Amino acid sequence: MSDLLRLATAGSVDDGKSTLVGRLLYDTKSVLADTLDAVHRASADRGLTTPDLSLLVDGLRSEREQGITIDVAYRYFATPKRSFVLADTPGHVQYTRNTVTGASTAQLAVLLVDARKGVIEQTRRHAAVLALLGVPRLVLAVNKIDLVDFDEVTFSRISKEFTAHATALGYTEDAVVQIPVSALAGDNVVEKSANTPWYSGPTLLEHLETVPVEPDPHDAPFRFPVQYVIRPRTAEHLDYRGYAGLVAAGTVKPGDEVVVLPSGRRSTVTKIDTADGELAEAAAGQSVTLLLADDIDISRGDLISVAGNEPTVTDELDATLCWLAEKPLRPGARVLVKHGTRTVQAMVTELRDRFDEQNLSSVDGPASLELNEIGRVALRLAEPVPLDDYSFSRRTGSFLVIDASDGSTLAAGLVGAPLPLLENGVESCSGGSAATPDNHALVSPGP
Amino acid sequence: MTLALDTLGRLESEAIHIFREVAGEFDRPVILFSGGKDSTLLLHLAIKAFYPAPVPFPLLHVDTGHNFDEVIEFRDRVVAQHGLRLEVAKVQDWIDDGRLEERPDGTRNPLQTVPLLDSITQHKFDAVFGGGRRDEERARAKERIFSLRTAFGQWDPKRQRPELWNLYNGRHRAGEHVRVFPLSNWTELDVWNYIEREGIELPDIYYSHQRDVFLRDGMWLAEGPWGTARDGETLLRKTVRYRTVGDGSCTGAVESDASDIHAVIAEVAASRLTERGATRADDRLSEAAMEDRKREGYF
Ligand SMILES: Nc1nc2c(ncn2[C@@H]2O[C@H](COP(=O)(O)OP(=O)(O)OP(=O)(O)O)[C@@H](O)[C@H]2O)c(=O)[nH]1
Ligand SMILES: [Mg+2]
């Protein structure tokens, strides 16, 4: 079992995400005394009789003033069973880009709903974002169950409605677990609640401690974006020329035949170097330096791939964008695309469709893509780039869309059409053609 | 050999990736280096990232003048040993020529911001590596790994860029710079476990030793160039160590018998106080002390 789980919260504003995170930290005794004292003091100053546990995570002044979360807070805690990296994200629609930030590396999301309100617009928007990014597992936490008198019928109704929605987004029933909780009082968060005798499932923590985490698939084809060329030029290492990077997918061994893209030149790996010595093999997630048999021109931005199962090298692609900027995207827009370690100029030649995440349908040929909207576009790149489908390889199928004038990040880009409902006939740029890609985006996460 | 990375392996790999991204995308990066444990760890990771080539960045120390001799001695020895270039911005110089004024309470930590920003402008640094960790403090828990600063060095927490997957956007306009935090996802315990695993040398003051200290605001402060016990405070000889090292006037020692790395790890694992809460007067000033300093351009 994996010793680490990366999770993110999601759900509408005030559904209780930060309180739930505070409760998890508090009940697992992960809060140190001085931090807790500060929360007790601040709660008392606000006239509260019990500590407001959301203050453990809402760390910015304006968050505390407004009582909402604005940006992601990262918290780290551990139980004897597992370590957790927790991203508490904002529910407010204005800050959806921060929710996307927190979810982009998550292996599981805890999506909250307020038991009084049930599944609402923002719940559906976040569920779509999580499905799009390929967060493999969901927990639906039906929160504030204390405010509906711990009513089983309410819980079942919300669970059913949400699960149907998640299934339509591509989640299997196994991938979604529903838990009735009160973040405020702690019911079913760490301790089993006496108020919900009708619920026989795990507490939230029990589930987080035992849920399977998909490891990086070892049989994925090797992908290695070159970050930096290491050339010491010292007497000791006169001819050393190493290609530094992080293995994005698959594994590599000395002797492996590789192709450098986009040039297409072939060579053989002679050595996998690190500061701790040579390695016999390196796998996804490891930072290493590769040495090759041939003296070929390789620089930052190139991608070293296993020979025989290569990404598609193309200057035209279909992609899905989650638009994160205030100013809308219109056809013809000139942007920068950062893919792996390469940044290229690009033009959005067409807006194919916009995903209506409320009704799970798509709208063809929209005039623009507005803040927080998800849509499929066609892009033309200034130079050919090696691309995998996002649903095939998260690290080599994702990219940033950047504003060339002010450098801001405009969108999260995913090669292909990771949302099943968006696949209405148009062929996507299919990477890794030789291997069978997952037919769905719910793959293991990137970093 | 197992291919799955353990926690420390994963954190190391992520930090190395971040160093290499910056080397590939920026013209004039610099590493903030004080000789303290987080910056020593930062340097260790930078060395590993570019091995066998030398680290392609200079170091910058914003020196409050309120130092522990052992730390400065250690700093200079490490710099010489690895053949690095160190820039020192002395707060004292800024006070001497009137650009800064000594504070009534004598503390110089908040005074570091101006010399830091002036040095960044003067040397045209475009990426500044800091050792900040998200587990230190809840305002830091909100910071991105690549954190854009305005031409005035300011952090605007409401307008941070989305940071997606492990694709970092380091683009900035002339005059702006990016603070980079390769240790973002490390906890204090991860740092110590890694220091043990790698056998990283630290200044002695991180391990228990005898020192004359006096109690002020619930913290054991040492005497030094920043002053000594005032009326009603008594100097006592205690067995102490430091969990953080900053301006001597506001960095407290903790009573401890932990004289080696194993004892320190046991102590940190059992500690009921955060490292800043236990030892930093500057963070006790207000509920938002750290956020306010960060907004102004502090590390
Ligand atoms: N009765 C009750 N109140 C709750 C519960 N959980 C949270 N609350 C209250 O709901 C309000 C909002 O809680 P937060 O934790 O700040 O909500 P949030 O989801 O983090 O909000 P944003 O981050 O701004 O989207 C606070 O007043 C909480 O005390 C619960 O289980 N029961
Ligand atoms: Mg919140």
Side-chain angles (χ1 to χ4, degrees):
Chain A
M1 196 178 81
S2 167
D3 63 336
L4 177 87
L5 180 71
R6 293 175 176 270
L7 67 148
T9 59
S12 186
V13 68
D14 274 352
D15 281 354
K17 298 176 291 299
S18 303
T19 308
L20 183 71
V21 167
R23 171 59 66 184
L24 262 179
L25 296 171
Y26 184 80
D27 283 358
T28 53
K29 312 232 169 355
S30 312
V31 186
L32 297 182
D34 52 325
T35 311
L36 202 56
D37 284 349
V39 167
H40 278 291
R41 266 198 313 275
S43 303
D45 290 349
R46 288 167 171 74
L48 303 173
T49 47
T50 50
D52 178 353
L53 295 176
S54 72
L55 295 175
L56 287 170
V57 274
D58 286 338
L60 300 175
R61 187 197 295 277
S62 36
E63 294 181 323
R64 291 192 294 275
E65 281 167 6
Q66 299 172 47
I68 61 163
T69 304
I70 291 171
D71 211 332
V72 194
Y74 293 91
R75 298 298 306 244
Y76 310 84
F77 75 103
T79 67
K81 296 213 174 102
R82 217 174 226 178
S83 304
F84 301 91
V85 177
L86 209 162
D88 181 41
T89 76
H92 197 290
V93 61
Q94 188 187 339
Y95 302 116
T96 304
R97 63 173 185 274
N98 298 333
T99 303
V100 178
T101 293
S104 69
T105 54
Q107 297 160 309
L108 176 145
V110 180
L111 185 62
L112 281 84
V113 293
D114 182 329
R116 296 169 304 176
K117 300 180 191 156
V119 176
I120 57 176
E121 185 179 340
Q122 188 70 341
T123 320
R124 286 189 284 266
R125 178 171 292 120
H126 279 176
V129 166
L130 298 171
L132 176 72
L133 293 171
V135 177
R137 288 173 186 277
L138 300 185
V139 172
L140 177 76
V142 179
N143 190 33
K144 308 198 185 183
I145 197 78
D146 52 303
L147 296 181
V148 296
D149 294 327
F150 301 96
D151 180 37
E152 180 179 9
V153 177
T154 307
F155 172 73
S156 308
R157 180 176 47 75
I158 297 172
S159 296
K160 238 185 172 152
E161 180 185 352
F162 179 77
T163 307
H165 187 78
T167 314
L169 282 166
Y171 283 98
T172 61
E173 285 198 18
D174 290 355
V176 188
V177 166
Q178 306 82 7
I179 306 177
V181 298
S182 169
L184 193 66
D187 299 78
N188 294 327
V189 178
V190 170
E191 304 291 339
K192 212 162 207 77
S193 171
N195 299 315
T196 53
W198 41 266
Y199 174 73
S200 57
T203 64
L204 176 62
L205 182 68
E206 281 166 5
H207 179 64
L208 298 179
E209 285 182 327
T210 51
V211 62
V213 177
E214 287 76 6
D216 279 317
H218 277 179
D219 50 358
F222 174 64
R223 301 285 189 260
F224 187 82
V226 175
Q227 289 187 275
Y228 191 76
V229 182
I230 295 183
R231 294 213 60 185
R233 294 195 184 90
T234 55
E236 205 186 331
H237 299 280
L238 210 48
D239 297 321
Y240 189 101
R241 190 185 176 91
Y243 306 103
L246 182 127
V247 180
T251 60
V252 63
K253 290 199 237 2
D256 283 359
E257 229 205 293
V258 292
V259 183
V260 181
L261 298 170
S263 74
R265 293 214 170 78
R266 289 184 171 238
S267 189
T268 308
V269 176
T270 51
K271 184 169 154 182
I272 305 170
D273 209 6
T274 74
D276 297 314
E278 288 178 41
L279 300 182
E281 186 172 14
Q286 272 179 291
S287 283
V288 295
T289 302
L290 298 185
L291 284 82
L292 303 183
D294 306 275
D295 209 356
I296 47 184
D297 178 15
I298 303 177
S299 53
R300 176 176 170 84
D302 288 340
L303 183 120
I304 300 178
S305 162
V306 62
N309 191 351
E310 298 138 33
T312 312
V313 179
T314 176
D315 58 3
E316 287 194 353
L317 77 148
D318 278 338
T320 305
L321 300 184
C322 182
W323 194 254
L324 304 172
E326 306 276 347
K327 65 172 175 203
L329 172 68
R330 296 197 206 293
R334 285 171 193 282
V335 293
L336 296 173
V337 161
K338 179 169 185 179
H339 171 260
T341 53
R342 179 180 289 251
T343 303
V344 298
Q345 295 191 15
M347 187 158 90
V348 179
T349 48
E350 194 187 335
L351 299 191
R352 292 214 199 282
D353 55 27
R354 180 177 67 74
F355 181 57
D356 178 344
E357 81 284 348
Q358 299 303 321
N359 301 309
L360 302 187
S361 58
S362 60
V363 180
D364 283 340
S368 65
L369 214 53
E370 310 282 329
L371 177 68
N372 299 328
E373 289 184 346
I374 297 170
R376 280 196 326 164
V377 303
L379 285 162
R380 195 164 71 230
L381 308 177
E383 48 191 288
V385 170
L387 298 169
D388 283 307
D389 240 61
Y390 185 77
S391 43
F392 178 70
S393 167
R394 219 177 186 183
R395 284 203 189 95
T396 49
S398 55
F399 60 91
L400 304 181
V401 178
I402 294 172
D403 185 325
S405 60
D406 69 2
S408 60
T409 301
L410 300 172
L414 303 88
V415 179
L419 279 176
L421 280 163
L422 283 174
E423 283 167 9
N424 45 6
V426 185
E427 205 58 47
S428 74
C429 146
S430 63
S433 42
T436 19
D438 279 351
N439 57 356
H440 193 263
L442 306 182
V443 291
S444 72
Chain B
M1 187 186 103
T2 131
L3 285 174
L5 291 174
D6 60 5
T7 302
L8 295 180
R10 212 160 23 223
L11 292 168
E12 176 189 78
S13 195
E14 176 184 71
I16 288 176
H17 175 250
I18 293 164
F19 272 111
R20 290 166 169 178
E21 278 305 282
V22 171
E25 296 219 328
F26 291 82
D27 294 327
R28 300 178 65 87
V30 67
I31 302 177
L32 293 176
F33 184 73
S34 64
K37 76 172 190 313
D38 293 327
S39 61
T40 301
L41 174 55
L42 211 52
L43 180 60
H44 179 85
L45 290 160
I47 290 168
K48 290 188 95 165
F50 301 103
Y51 169 88
V55 176
F57 323 121
L59 310 178
L60 172 66
H61 182 205
V62 182
D63 178 356
T64 60
H66 291 172
N67 298 303
F68 297 91
D69 295 343
E70 301 91 322
V71 179
I72 295 299
E73 179 270 324
F74 174 82
R75 178 198 76 184
D76 293 339
R77 186 154 50 80
V78 170
V79 167
Q81 183 188 335
H82 297 288
L84 299 159
R85 188 160 65 80
L86 173 73
E87 302 283 348
V88 181
K90 292 194 157 118
V91 171
Q92 189 65 52
D93 293 346
W94 269 255
I95 292 175
D96 288 348
D97 66 16
R99 281 178 289 173
L100 276 177
E101 218 173 294
E102 194 89 74
R103 289 161 51 102
D105 64 4
T107 278
R108 285 187 176 177
N109 252 10
L111 299 187
Q112 287 170 281
T113 302
V114 171
L116 171 66
L117 296 179
D118 288 352
S119 304
I120 290 171
T121 310
Q122 184 201 331
H123 296 283
K124 299 196 169 59
F125 292 131
D126 53 3
V128 181
F129 289 102
R133 308 190 319 266
R134 288 167 174 162
D135 91 318
E136 280 179 73
E137 208 277 336
R138 60 187 175 168
R140 282 203 194 270
K142 297 269 164 183
E143 182 125 18
R144 300 282 192 260
I145 291 175
F146 273 43
S147 179
L148 185 70
R149 299 305 162 98
T150 65
F152 301 96
Q154 287 166 322
W155 180 53
D156 184 352
K158 278 176 106 162
R159 303 205 33 165
Q160 298 195 92
R161 284 178 182 167
E163 196 158 84
L164 306 157
W165 301 288
N166 61 351
L167 291 173
Y168 303 109
N169 176 0
R171 294 189 85 87
H172 57 278
R173 288 180 281 201
E176 294 177 339
H177 70 275
V178 177
R179 301 279 170 92
V180 183
F181 300 100
L183 307 182
S184 285
N185 292 321
W186 297 56
T187 65
E188 186 188 13
L189 198 55
D190 293 329
V191 169
W192 284 107
N193 282 327
Y194 186 78
I195 286 169
E196 179 193 28
R197 189 180 94 171
E198 301 282 300
I200 299 170
E201 193 196 340
L202 291 182
D204 300 337
I205 68 169
Y206 283 103
Y207 302 106
S208 76
H209 56 281
Q210 302 270 307
R211 190 178 285 269
D212 290 333
V213 288
F214 57 91
L215 197 61
R216 181 180 296 164
D217 302 331
M219 279 188 317
W220 291 107
L221 297 181
E223 58 174 349
W226 50 86
T228 179
R230 300 184 194 132
D231 284 352
E233 297 168 341
T234 16
L235 268 184
L236 296 168
R237 193 150 194 89
K238 291 257 175 203
T239 305
V240 296
R241 70 174 199 90
Y242 286 86
R243 275 175 83 180
T244 65
V245 171
D247 179 337
S249 69
C250 65
T251 304
V254 292
E255 285 189 80
S256 167
D257 291 321
S259 58
D260 63 17
I261 182 81
H262 308 288
V264 168
I265 289 173
E267 187 183 282
V268 169
S271 174
R272 295 306 304 152
L273 294 179
T274 63
E275 73 182 22
R276 285 199 162 259
T279 64
R280 294 297 265 272
D282 45 339
D283 286 335
R284 295 185 177 179
L285 297 175
S286 85
E287 246 205 301
M290 173 65 88
E291 179 181 342
D292 291 345
R293 275 177 296 142
K294 285 181 72 64
R295 278 174 178 276
E296 288 163 14
Y298 189 76
F299 315 135

